[in-house]
């Protein structure tokens, strides 16, 4: 656990400091009449390299990690995947890296690089968010989950980039990127209809309406039996999205796969964070002069929380589509933290900090208490120490 604590907190502090430094340096330059610093600033490059390095040398860290590791090694040893339904883009990139004889660290580093480069690029004009990004990603639930669902996480971070396209009404470029994203993960197809969601005006929408909508999602999620009925009508779509195997399990009425129970801080803390975001959203928009980028991420963040709570008491696989909007929720968490810090609202800031910086420490303790779960993703392991 000492290694895990050192790696996660050290990386979080390093990325946060580098984000603070580049933002502070940019503010000084612009105060003297200069232009904003480029995306290639040394602090940004260093932060991304740290993230990539830490991700590259991780080893034996969860079921999904071992699954991707086995696919890569299988391709190197026998020249084919042990699974046939991978998307063509992922298959092509994995095959090229495997047949080139590259170490598996390069494979995982490549996907980590796509994640962090896309996220930092999306926020290149909003560098004041980067310190909070570093803290939230490494101390919150994001990093651990991103390192498991590596393909889907690339799409998550791409959506933050694509939020700018929605703001600028660049539908065809948005559509093209969505089609390309389906080459990595078929679930990206779901991003096409949500293009129009951030275009919904907020005029006339009160905070109590949004609170009520979230509360209804929580209530509906307590009665998941309706999911079984809904799944009977989407078999074809489930197959295309790569969920056909799970659809057949659900259709077989296997209650192990149909119903679960999602509770505790992992469920409650993001929900409370969402309530903070809704409450402070009008003030945040005023603070940043109605920046439409904030509105786009706000709507996507609400979709994320609403969806996860509707499917809260089902299997993890049914909650996965809602995770497509996880990075946009992260962005809104960072906006809220930044606003509360700048406005010196110390009590709500402390609450938001606890809600979003607790995860790694909480789950590291759980993992240490139950050492039989050798693939616990929160405990950092590296092949360098083997």
């Amino acid at each position: 656990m000492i290694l895990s604590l050192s790696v996660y907190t050290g990386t979080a502090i390093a990325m946060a400091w580098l984000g603070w430094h580049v933002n502070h340096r940019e503010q000084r330059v612009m105060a003297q009449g200069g232009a904003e610093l480029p995306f290639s600033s040394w602090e940004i490059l260093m932060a991304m390299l740290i993230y990539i390095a830490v991700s590259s040398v991780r080893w034996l860290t969860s079921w999904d990690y071992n699954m991707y590791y086995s696919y890569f090694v299988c391709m190197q040893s026998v020249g084919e995947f042990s699974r046939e339904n991978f998307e063509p883009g992922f298959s092509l990139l994995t095959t090229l890296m495997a047949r080139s004889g590259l170490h598996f660290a390069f494979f995982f580093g490549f996907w980590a690089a796509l994640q962090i480069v896309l996220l930092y690029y999306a926020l290149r004009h909003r560098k004041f968010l980067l310190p909070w990004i570093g803290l939230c990603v490494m101390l919150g639930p994001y990093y651990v989950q991103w390192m498991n669902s590596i393909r889907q996480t690339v799409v998550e971070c791409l959506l933050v980039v694509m939020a700018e396209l929605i703001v600028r009404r660049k539908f065809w470029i948005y559509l093209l990127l969505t089609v390309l994203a389906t080459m990595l993960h078929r679930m990206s197809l779901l991003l096409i209809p949500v293009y129009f969601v951030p275009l919904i005006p907020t005029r006339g929408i009160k905070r109590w309406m949004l609170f009520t909508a979230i509360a209804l999602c929580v209530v509906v999620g307590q009665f998941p039996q309706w999911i079984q009925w809904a799944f009977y009508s989407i078999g074809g779509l489930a197959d295309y999205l790569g969920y056909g195997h799970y659809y057949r399990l659900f259709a077989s009425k296997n209650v192990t796969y149909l119903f679960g129970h999602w509770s505790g801080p992992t469920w409650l803390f993001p929900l409370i964070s969402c309530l903070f975001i809704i409450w402070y959203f009008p003030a945040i928009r005023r603070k940043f002069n109605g920046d439409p980028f904030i509105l786009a991420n706000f709507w996507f963040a609400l979709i994320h929380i609403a969806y996860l709570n509707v499917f809260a008491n089902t299997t993890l696989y049914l909650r996965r589509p809602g995770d497509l909007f996880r990075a946009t929720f992260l962005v809104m968490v960072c906006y809220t933290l930044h606003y509360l810090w700048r406005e010196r609202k110390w009590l709500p800031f402390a609450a938001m900090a606890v809600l979003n910086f607790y995860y790694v420490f909480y789950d590291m303790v759980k993992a240490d208490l139950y050492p039989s779960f050798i693939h616990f993703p929160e405990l950092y392991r590296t092949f360098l120490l083997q």
Side-chain angles (χ1 to χ4, degrees):
M1 191 168 71
I2 294 176
L3 174 63
S4 304
L5 184 64
S6 301
V7 170
Y8 289 129
T9 56
T11 304
I13 292 171
M15 292 179 68
W17 182 84
L18 289 166
W20 172 85
H21 193 277
V22 70
N23 179 57
H24 184 67
R25 189 161 66 91
E26 181 177 85
Q27 289 179 342
R28 285 187 301 173
V29 169
M30 295 183 71
Q32 298 171 2
E36 69 175 29
L37 297 179
F39 178 63
S40 58
S41 299
W42 70 266
E43 298 97 331
I44 293 178
L45 295 179
M46 183 62 68
M48 293 191 298
L49 285 174
I50 291 173
Y51 180 91
I52 295 167
V54 168
S55 305
S56 298
V57 299
R58 286 175 87 247
W59 182 70
L60 194 61
T61 49
S62 68
W63 169 255
D64 281 5
Y65 174 94
N66 291 310
M67 177 187 69
Y68 284 114
Y69 173 79
S70 66
Y71 292 150
F72 185 79
V73 172
C74 183
M75 173 56 70
Q76 284 189 322
S77 59
V78 302
E80 60 182 28
F81 288 115
S82 56
R83 168 178 160 179
E84 299 178 353
N85 63 338
F86 273 129
E87 292 80 357
F90 178 81
S91 297
L92 176 61
L93 291 171
T94 302
T95 301
L96 289 175
M97 286 184 275
R99 292 183 176 176
S100 297
L102 297 172
H103 193 273
F104 65 84
F106 184 91
F107 172 74
F108 288 104
F110 172 79
W111 296 108
L114 286 182
Q115 296 170 6
I116 198 65
V117 169
L118 286 171
L119 183 59
Y120 269 52
Y121 180 79
L123 302 176
R124 66 196 182 281
H125 301 308
R126 300 167 178 87
K127 297 183 181 67
F128 56 86
L129 294 179
L130 297 185
W132 307 109
I133 289 289
L135 291 172
C136 286
V137 167
M138 297 308 302
L139 301 181
Y142 305 97
Y143 180 75
V144 171
Q145 295 174 5
W146 285 2
M147 290 299 102
N148 284 329
S149 52
I150 58 174
R151 291 179 298 139
Q152 180 170 320
T153 300
V154 172
V155 180
E156 291 177 35
C157 295
L158 177 62
L159 181 59
V160 183
V161 177
M162 292 163 63
E164 194 72 49
L165 299 176
I166 298 175
V167 167
R168 296 165 57 190
R169 304 296 197 273
K170 302 289 186 180
F171 175 74
W172 296 112
I173 300 177
Y174 179 96
L175 181 62
L176 175 62
L177 288 177
T178 301
V179 172
L180 291 175
T182 61
M183 299 295 103
L184 295 180
H185 205 298
R186 296 184 186 91
M187 202 187 300
S188 307
L189 183 70
L190 299 175
L191 297 182
I192 295 177
V194 302
Y195 171 88
F196 302 97
V197 173
L199 303 181
I200 299 174
T202 56
R203 182 175 299 177
I205 299 179
K206 307 298 183 182
R207 285 181 292 193
W208 68 266
M209 298 178 182
L210 299 176
F211 287 139
T212 302
I214 295 297
L216 286 174
C217 291
V218 173
V219 171
V220 170
Q222 303 308 306
F223 305 94
Q225 289 76 13
W226 64 273
I227 302 294
Q228 193 172 36
W229 171 84
F231 239 80
Y232 287 137
S233 60
I234 61 171
L237 179 60
D239 271 320
Y240 179 78
L241 295 177
Y243 276 62
H245 170 65
Y246 306 115
Y247 163 75
R248 283 178 280 278
L249 287 171
F250 301 145
S252 70
K253 301 184 179 180
N254 186 326
V255 294
T256 301
Y257 289 91
L258 272 172
F259 308 124
H261 185 61
W262 190 33
S263 61
T266 307
W267 162 73
L268 185 60
F269 284 15
L271 177 61
I272 299 175
S273 294
C274 181
L275 301 182
F276 272 91
I277 291 170
I278 293 173
W279 182 258
Y280 287 106
F281 176 70
I284 293 171
R285 284 201 76 189
R286 289 193 299 270
K287 178 76 174 179
F288 294 98
N289 302 314
D291 185 358
F293 179 78
I294 299 177
L295 179 61
N297 282 277
F298 175 71
W299 281 120
F300 286 150
L302 292 186
I303 292 176
H304 172 67
I305 294 299
Y307 184 96
L308 291 187
N309 277 279
V310 166
F311 292 89
N313 290 301
T314 65
T315 177
L316 168 67
Y317 304 108
L318 275 180
R319 296 198 295 268
R320 280 276 178 93
D323 287 337
L324 284 173
F325 307 95
R326 183 166 44 197
T328 58
F329 181 76
L330 164 66
V331 170
M332 287 311 304
V333 166
C334 292
Y335 263 113
T336 306
L337 284 166
H338 179 74
Y339 170 79
L340 294 174
W341 176 268
R342 292 300 300 269
E343 296 300 312
R344 300 188 177 187
K345 297 181 181 293
W346 301 125
L347 187 58
F349 171 80
M352 276 293 285
V354 170
L355 291 170
N356 290 280
F357 301 157
Y358 85 98
Y359 181 86
V360 162
F361 306 105
Y362 171 76
D363 269 22
M364 274 196 298
V365 171
K366 281 180 26 179
D368 194 56
L369 292 175
Y370 301 100
S372 60
F373 293 91
I374 62 171
H375 302 309
F376 226 115
E378 288 74 18
L379 290 179
Y380 187 87
R381 297 179 179 86
T382 171
F383 64 84
L384 297 177
L385 299 179
Q386 300 305 311

